[in-house]
């Protein structure tokens, strides 16, 4: 049996970080196992390729579907999740957002020592190479390149101006002292290319460290647990699905994401005994929280025609698409180097909130059904999502077959508050789109459409058209007591030598995109795994409601 000190399952955002940090010591042997392929596709590297990657299952996208959603007309919602080197950071929208400082302070208040904002800020800064240079909020020595959106199309600045006209503040840094307001996004795009966790952490070391073994297209079917300790994994490779075992002398670390980390734990006998029994799996560790506490940002879109030929459609239609590709191949510039997602906002649905509860993403294109459908014309899309849903869902086994997708039930819109916030978000976006600053770029409303007026009609529209905006967390959450699967150092309770390090560990959904927080979690976890002291807390001046 092959043996390593650490076996990491999943080369996504967290797994790439861990592979880099743990293998930095040449005396430590690390094995990184990924079910997908290496990220060599031009579609991954080219920012404009995100539309093709995210809309359907492919070599870089698992293409999951949820269980029928009882509060959303029993629809099965499509859930793209990253597959291959970089994981979801190789198919996401490249928006760099940390969430609100209050999100992490809440974790600290829950009893999770070392997870308040002052504790995690050093790890955000450690990971980051911000083009604006180092300051109290940003780092400039890390591997993750972060750049400011150039607001290269006039609709982006018009959107920010419209927000100001509608009475909202403008902020110059969503990751700085004040999150609330309209502004430009920071992005993980560097020199015209996607800067995924793979490009930041894994690619620079893949051939430089003989103590790091990377196994691609290897599906981990279970963690091997002997006498209460994780001693390795079973992995299946190749078309013949030949199984072999890889030993971990120190730790097995699951970084397979909010969908597959709970699946692998349950296949290994760690979970709710009643659920495991249904699939004929012996319970090794009773942990009823595994697969529960699932949270995600539900999203709804307001879409308008654009009377001017300034959206992604006109920039790439017909023979222009070939020219875009040729220009990108030649010098990594032009429309191919853009994610068409350069501005947004963080807003409060009502007064008295300590943190914004709505996020807006402006896309300079018509985007329906994850890009699978929609009219071939110029337009723009405003995505609106609720940042802190009350609804909680599950990820449970659908089968004992490790190659079968699990049963994903986010349980969207289960509470009245969730329905209220989503309803208000539609109203607020419509108000912004009516402002003078956007008048030249705004034609007729495609969605929800002029016929949708009353609260009941808006609610029906959300049930019929709402979708994920790709931020699932919480399904193997850390917590201060035994009811949570993980402790504050991300160790699986009841099993020695086993941790989970990915978005599934977050006890509550943060207010923003989840890629940067996942990278932060992995940076912090690396110190925990290696037995290093945590980085010193950094107190900063924040705007407080």
């Amino acid at each position: 049996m092959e043996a390593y000190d650490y076996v990491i399952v999943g080369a996504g955002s967290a797994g790439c970080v861990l592979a880099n940090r743990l293998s930095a010591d040449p005396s430590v042997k690390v094995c990184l196992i990924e079910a997908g392929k290496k990220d060599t596709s031009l579609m991954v590297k080219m920012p404009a390729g995100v539309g093709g990657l995210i809309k359907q299952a492919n070599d870089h996208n698992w293409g999951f579907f949820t269980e029928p959603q009882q509060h959303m007309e029993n629809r099965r919602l499509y859930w793209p999740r990253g597959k291959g080197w970089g994981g979801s950071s190789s198919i996401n929208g490249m928006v760099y957002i940390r969430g609100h400082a209050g999100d992490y302070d809440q974790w600290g208040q829950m009893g999770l020592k070392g997870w308040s904002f002052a504790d995690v800020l050093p790890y955000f800064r450690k990971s980051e190479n911000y083009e604006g240079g180092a300051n109290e909020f940003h780092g400039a020595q890390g591997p993750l390149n972060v750049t400011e959106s150039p607001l290269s199309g006039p609709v982006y600045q018009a959107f920010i101006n419209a927000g100001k006209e509608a009475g909202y503040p403008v902020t110059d840094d969503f990751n700085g002292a004040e999150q609330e307001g309209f502004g430009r996004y920071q992005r993980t795009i560097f020199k015209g290319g996607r800067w995924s966790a793979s490009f930041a952490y894994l690619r620079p070391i893949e051939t430089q460290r003989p103590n790091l073994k990377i196994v691609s297209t290897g599906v981990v079917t279970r963690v091997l647990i002997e006498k209460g300790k994780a001693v390795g994994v079973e992995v299946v490779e190749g078309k013949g699905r030949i199984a072999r075992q890889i030993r971990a002398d120190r730790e097995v670390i699951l970084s397979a994401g909010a969908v597959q980390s709970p699946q692998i734990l349950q296949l290994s006998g760690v979970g709710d005994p009643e659920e495991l029994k249904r699939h004929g799996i012996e319970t090794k560790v009773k942990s009823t929280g595994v697969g529960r506490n699932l949270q995600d940002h539900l999203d709804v879109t307001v879409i308008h025609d654009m009377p001017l030929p300034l959206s992604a459609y006109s920039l790439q239609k017909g023979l222009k698409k070939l020219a875009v590709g040729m220009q990108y191949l030649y010098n990594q510039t032009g429309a191919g180097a853009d994610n068409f997602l350069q501005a947004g906002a963080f807003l409060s649905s009502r007064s008295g909130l300590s943190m914004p509860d709505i996020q807006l993403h402006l896309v300079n294109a018509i985007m329906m059904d994850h890009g699978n459908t929609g009219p071939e014309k110029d337009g723009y899309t405003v995505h609106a999502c609720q940042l802190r849903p009350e609804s909680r869902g599950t990820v449970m086994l659908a089968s004992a077959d490790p190659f079968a997708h699990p049963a994903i039930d986010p349980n969207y819109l289960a509470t009245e508050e969730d329905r209220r916030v989503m309803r208000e978000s539609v109203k607020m976006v419509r108000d912004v789109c009516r402002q003078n600053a956007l008048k030249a770029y705004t034609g007729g409303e495609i969605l929800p459409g002029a016929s949708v007026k009353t609260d009941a009609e808006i609610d029906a529209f959300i049930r019929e058209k709402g979708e994920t905006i790709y931020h699932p967390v919480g399904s193997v959450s850390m917590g201060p007591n035994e009811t949570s699967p993980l402790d504050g150092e991300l160790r699986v309770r009841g099993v020695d030598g086993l941790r989970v390090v990915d978005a599934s560990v977050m006890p509550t959904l943060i207010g923003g995109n989840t890629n940067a927080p996942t990278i932060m979690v992995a940076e912090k976890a690396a110190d925990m795994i290696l037995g290093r002291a945590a980085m010193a807390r950094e107190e900063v001046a924040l705007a407080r409601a």
Side-chain angles (χ1 to χ4, degrees), residues 268-509:
S268 308
V270 181
D272 185 333
E274 291 300 316
E275 288 290 329
L276 301 181
K277 184 178 179 181
R278 290 177 52 224
H279 301 290
I281 297 172
E282 176 191 357
T283 299
K284 296 281 184 76
V285 176
K286 178 182 178 181
S287 184
T288 56
V290 171
R292 293 189 166 87
N293 193 47
L294 177 67
Q295 301 154 61
D296 184 37
H297 288 147
L298 182 66
D299 178 72
V300 68
T301 55
V302 176
I303 303 177
H304 280 271
D305 285 326
M306 185 184 291
L308 300 172
L310 298 173
S311 77
Y313 171 73
S314 282
L315 293 174
Q316 302 183 71
K317 71 178 179 179
L319 292 177
K320 288 183 181 179
K321 184 171 290 188
L322 177 61
V324 166
M326 294 300 293
Q327 180 179 353
Y328 188 80
L329 286 171
Y330 180 68
N331 60 11
Q332 289 75 57
T333 62
D338 191 8
N339 64 347
F340 296 97
L341 204 170
Q342 298 187 30
F346 289 86
L347 308 175
S348 296
S349 67
R350 56 182 173 83
S351 61
L353 295 178
S354 60
M355 298 179 280
D357 60 346
I358 292 170
Q359 182 179 3
L360 308 183
H361 295 81
L362 173 66
V363 179
N364 189 21
I366 292 174
M367 186 177 179
M368 294 180 175
D369 186 28
H370 308 278
N372 281 295
T373 61
E376 294 292 311
K377 62 196 299 186
D378 283 292
Y380 68 84
T381 302
V382 183
H383 290 266
C385 71
Q386 180 192 10
L387 291 175
R388 294 176 189 82
E390 293 179 345
S391 301
R392 296 291 185 270
T394 58
V395 178
M396 296 295 174
L397 295 180
S399 164
D401 178 1
F403 293 91
H405 289 179
I408 304 167
D409 182 7
N411 193 30
Y412 292 121
L413 298 179
T415 75
E416 176 52 41
E417 176 64 4
D418 290 358
R419 296 188 285 271
R420 183 197 69 80
V421 176
M422 291 302 295
R423 184 188 313 127
E424 286 302 310
S425 74
V426 172
K427 295 178 181 179
M428 293 163 72
V429 170
R430 280 177 150 178
D431 179 53
V432 170
C433 292
R434 286 193 291 262
Q435 301 302 315
N436 287 332
L438 272 171
K439 188 174 182 180
Y441 310 100
T442 302
E445 185 181 272
I446 299 172
L447 285 178
S451 63
V452 177
K453 298 176 181 177
T454 67
D455 284 359
E457 289 166 345
I458 294 172
D459 288 348
F461 163 71
I462 294 166
R463 292 194 303 270
E464 293 165 5
K465 296 295 184 181
E467 298 284 353
T468 179
I469 202 163
Y470 324 123
H471 300 155
V473 307
S475 50
V476 193
S477 61
M478 61 175 165
N481 55 54
E482 297 297 321
T483 60
S484 298
L486 308 180
D487 67 14
E489 294 203 358
L490 311 181
R491 296 172 295 203
V492 176
R493 286 190 164 99
V495 187
D496 291 335
L498 180 60
R499 293 189 211 234
V500 179
V501 182
D502 55 33
S504 71
V505 311
M506 300 180 192
T508 57
L509 188 53

Side-chain angles (χ1 to χ4, degrees), residues 65-107:
F65 281 86
T66 71
E67 296 299 290
Q69 293 301 286
Q70 62 174 321
H71 306 294
M72 298 189 70
E73 311 295 350
N74 287 317
R75 295 162 52 217
R76 289 183 179 269
L77 275 61
Y78 172 59
W79 266 34
R81 304 306 303 153
K83 180 181 183 182
W85 290 25
S88 291
S89 74
S90 291
I91 69 169
N92 69 1
M94 294 155 281
V95 174
Y96 180 85
I97 289 289
R98 298 172 179 174
H100 196 281
D103 293 316
Y104 304 101
D105 288 342
Q106 182 184 5
W107 293 3

